[in-house]
Amino acid sequence: MPTTPNSGLLGRMMARKSVAQVQQETESSQLKRTLGPWNLVFLGIGCIIGAGIFVRTGNAAALHAGPAVLLSFLVAGIVCALAGLCYAELSSTLPVSGSAYTYSYTTVGEFAAWIMGALLLLEYGLAASVVAVGWSGYVVSLLGDYGLVIPPELTGPAGHVLMRDGAPVLDAAGNAVTTLFNLPALLICLALAGLLVVGVSESAKVNNIIVAIKMAVILAFIAVVGWYCIENFGELKSNWDPFIPEPTGEKGEFGWGGVFRAASIVFFAYIGFEAVSTAGQEAKNPKKDMPIGIIGSLAVCTILYILVSLVLTLVVNYKTLDVPDPVAVAVDALGPQWSWFAKLIKVGAIIGLTSVVLVLMYGQTRIFYTMARDGLLPRVFSTIHPKFKTPWVNTVLVGVLTAFAAAFFDINTLGDMTSVGTLAAFGIVCLAVIWLRRSHPNIPRGFRVPLYPVLPALGIVACFALIFTVETRVLVFFAWYALGAVVLYFVYGMRNSRLNKGLGQLDGPALPEFKEDAPSV
């Protein structure tokens, strides 16, 4: 039976789903354990490679770390590894759908699950907006190569001066161009929301093709641009002088403070590794394979990210990289004789980023769906379309929200809010491991975090330490957002929670849990 303590306000906030019930559901699953360690490593790489490396690397280098952004990737990778080990333990103990939301509901309680749901809105919903802005940058660049020019005023966030090569873009009268909204980003979000309403199923073969394209783009970029850098090192080495720019006096601008500030930005590049944790139910040997899959994929991606940032900051000056499409800027710098290669890189990036937007929006709609079935959101969020069998109401809402954010907000603000939400969610996952060890010390665990409780505690400290490196305005937004989430829980969530009413989920079957139901990266 679910744990539903009704002894006052605190008891209701800490009402928990039953661990025994969750494990019983796991044991009755018909999913086959077919995934070995290499399958999990490649799953992780496919999910991690995407928006961060194609989009956020340039912002981090241009505004905060300079060429030392490669050190920022190393720091972010270590923080992710700490959280990843905690995900591995929880996924081997509670290998169910819902991921961090379900983990929180089963361990810390309903209030923590509600907060986790709010954080996942930042992680998935706003992340989709960030990727859409990056997608727009690459599309605008590629179309420009063919002489198709979208009016500059329709390619950026509201009220911002359009920048190119580190300088403002000027109109015919010599005035700086101010953008109205980002039309391509808005359109891609709405289009993909429409696809999700109709129902999008990607076969494993299509998924493998997309992953192969993304990996080919990254490896080709490293190989070709890296060789160009080696041949022209004498001329390009000035772009690394200094390697760690002197701090400007502003918080998080260059120096070692900038390296750690950039770590919170490029942390975005690692979003997706937790997808490995959701495969615990299908791993042949979770105790052995889950940590290999998570840490292995993080290690491979960290190496790739460091190599990309190395050649990126060497081929062009880091000050020119504050754009949505830094990889496109780098390949364009090779010269007109490499224009064919630049086009290939941009096409590959667009294909990969399209898939990432689709998956992030899909994930957000399913989180809303699960919360609605628990009674924490209005029942309309779990309404299934009679023909397409998808949660169409909340899919439309997610599409509109992500489209609005992508169209009117700048990529740095969106990315920072995403990173803060994700870091907070990862910190709660680390806390959930400690909580579950104390509340259920004897339940079977396929994998245990080594050096417990040191590593989970370090994960909590590291995640929240990186949060406080972001700009004050973002922290203020996050504080108000969290306060609003808390108020909404007491006004609606607690009053309508089916668990606190002694009820199960809403009647009717859940959405299918087959692999084909979920688009994959």
Side-chain angles (χ1 to χ4, degrees):
M1 292 295 292
T3 305
T4 55
N6 292 309
S7 54
L9 179 63
L10 183 61
R12 296 184 65 184
M13 292 172 61
M14 295 183 67
R16 299 191 303 274
K17 289 186 176 180
S18 167
V19 172
Q21 181 182 12
V22 170
Q23 290 191 322
Q24 184 178 5
E25 293 171 358
T26 299
E27 293 171 0
S28 63
S29 171
Q30 298 180 5
L31 292 175
K32 295 182 179 179
R33 293 192 176 275
T34 58
L35 300 180
W38 286 109
N39 299 113
L40 295 171
V41 168
F42 285 119
L43 172 65
I45 293 173
C47 293
I48 296 170
I49 295 291
I53 195 62
F54 287 121
V55 179
R56 292 289 280 157
T57 308
N59 310 131
L63 302 177
H64 300 286
V69 69
L70 63 90
L71 300 179
S72 303
F73 274 113
L74 184 60
V75 172
I78 292 172
V79 174
C80 279
L82 294 172
L85 289 171
C86 294
Y87 264 102
E89 175 166 329
L90 289 177
S91 66
S92 68
T93 309
L94 308 168
V96 293
S97 63
S99 190
Y101 167 77
T102 302
Y103 298 157
S104 301
Y105 216 149
T106 313
T107 56
V108 186
E110 183 175 275
F111 179 72
W114 172 274
I115 295 299
M116 181 62 77
L119 295 176
L120 291 176
L121 175 59
L122 296 180
E123 179 177 350
Y124 287 95
L126 284 187
S129 300
V130 175
V131 182
V133 174
W135 182 93
S136 170
Y138 284 95
V139 167
V140 170
S141 180
L142 181 64
L143 292 178
D145 292 339
Y146 291 98
L148 302 174
V149 179
I150 297 176
E153 295 83 0
L154 301 180
T155 60
H160 281 243
V161 174
L162 188 64
M163 305 292 290
R164 185 172 298 148
D165 297 330
V169 176
L170 304 179
D171 59 18
N175 300 315
V177 174
T178 302
T179 51
L180 300 175
F181 66 95
N182 195 323
L183 178 62
L186 178 123
L187 293 178
I188 188 61
C189 289
L190 295 179
L192 293 181
L195 285 177
L196 287 173
V197 168
V198 174
V200 179
S201 295
E202 289 185 31
S203 67
K205 184 178 294 186
V206 174
N207 173 49
N208 291 339
I209 292 173
I210 293 174
V211 172
I213 290 173
K214 291 194 294 185
M215 288 299 297
V217 167
I218 295 296
L219 293 175
F221 176 79
I222 293 172
V224 174
V225 181
W227 182 254
Y228 178 87
C229 290
I230 292 173
E231 287 190 324
N232 299 274
F233 183 74
E235 178 185 345
L236 297 175
K237 65 181 181 180
S238 60
N239 288 330
W240 269 17
D241 185 20
F243 183 72
I244 302 179
E246 290 294 321
T248 63
E250 296 291 329
K251 178 185 175 182
E253 285 191 5
F254 307 111
W256 281 103
V259 170
F260 287 100
R261 171 69 181 92
S264 69
I265 294 175
V266 299
F267 186 86
F268 185 96
Y270 292 97
I271 292 176
F273 81 86
E274 67 265 40
V276 179
S277 72
T278 64
Q281 202 168 344
E282 297 170 81
K284 292 179 181 178
N285 184 356
K287 183 175 182 180
K288 175 185 176 183
D289 296 345
M290 294 302 294
I292 292 176
I294 290 175
I295 303 304
S297 58
L298 283 173
V300 171
C301 290
T302 299
I303 293 171
L304 291 176
Y305 287 170
I306 289 175
L307 291 174
V308 168
S309 58
L310 187 152
V311 299
L312 188 68
T313 55
L314 193 55
V315 73
V316 296
N317 189 281
Y318 67 89
K319 296 178 182 178
T320 67
L321 294 174
D322 186 21
V323 292
D325 54 338
V327 173
V329 170
V331 293
D332 284 338
L334 300 183
Q337 68 273 26
W338 287 96
S339 61
W340 62 271
F341 178 69
K343 292 182 178 67
L344 286 178
I345 292 292
K346 294 170 188 177
V347 169
I350 290 167
I351 292 172
L353 293 177
T354 302
S355 178
V356 174
V357 176
L358 187 69
V359 172
L360 290 171
M361 291 177 66
Y362 172 91
Q364 184 58 63
T365 63
R366 271 43 181 184
I367 291 167
F368 278 169
Y369 174 80
T370 302
M371 294 181 71
R373 285 175 58 81
D374 288 330
L376 298 181
L377 289 178
R379 183 168 184 167
V380 69
F381 283 86
S382 64
T383 301
I384 302 300
H385 194 282
K387 178 180 179 181
F388 303 125
K389 305 302 180 184
T390 57
W392 69 279
V393 175
N394 94 58
T395 300
V396 170
L397 177 63
V398 168
V400 171
L401 291 177
T402 55
F404 177 84
F408 292 100
F409 290 90
D410 73 280
I411 193 170
N412 295 320
T413 300
L414 289 171
D416 283 347
M417 290 189 292
T418 301
S419 293
V420 168
T422 306
L423 284 163
F426 286 2
I428 293 177
V429 167
C430 294
L431 173 63
V433 167
I434 297 174
W435 193 290
L436 194 62
R437 286 278 191 107
R438 294 178 64 86
S439 63
H440 294 77
N442 299 318
I443 63 174
R445 289 172 168 84
F447 169 75
R448 289 176 176 266
V449 177
L451 300 179
Y452 175 87
V454 175
L455 292 190
L458 284 177
I460 296 172
V461 172
C463 287
F464 284 94
L466 280 186
I467 286 176
F468 288 101
T469 66
V470 304
E471 294 181 47
T472 302
R473 65 187 179 91
V474 177
L475 290 178
V476 170
F477 163 83
F478 182 69
W480 281 107
Y481 178 82
L483 179 61
V486 171
V487 171
L488 193 58
Y489 171 74
F490 288 110
V491 171
Y492 184 89
M494 177 183 285
R495 295 166 61 91
N496 293 276
S497 165
R498 295 182 65 81
L499 183 64
N500 265 311
K501 291 179 179 179
L503 303 172
Q505 285 189 324
L506 291 173
D507 295 334
L511 292 179
E513 292 296 339
F514 304 123
K515 287 183 180 180
E516 290 78 9
D517 177 60
S520 302
V521 204

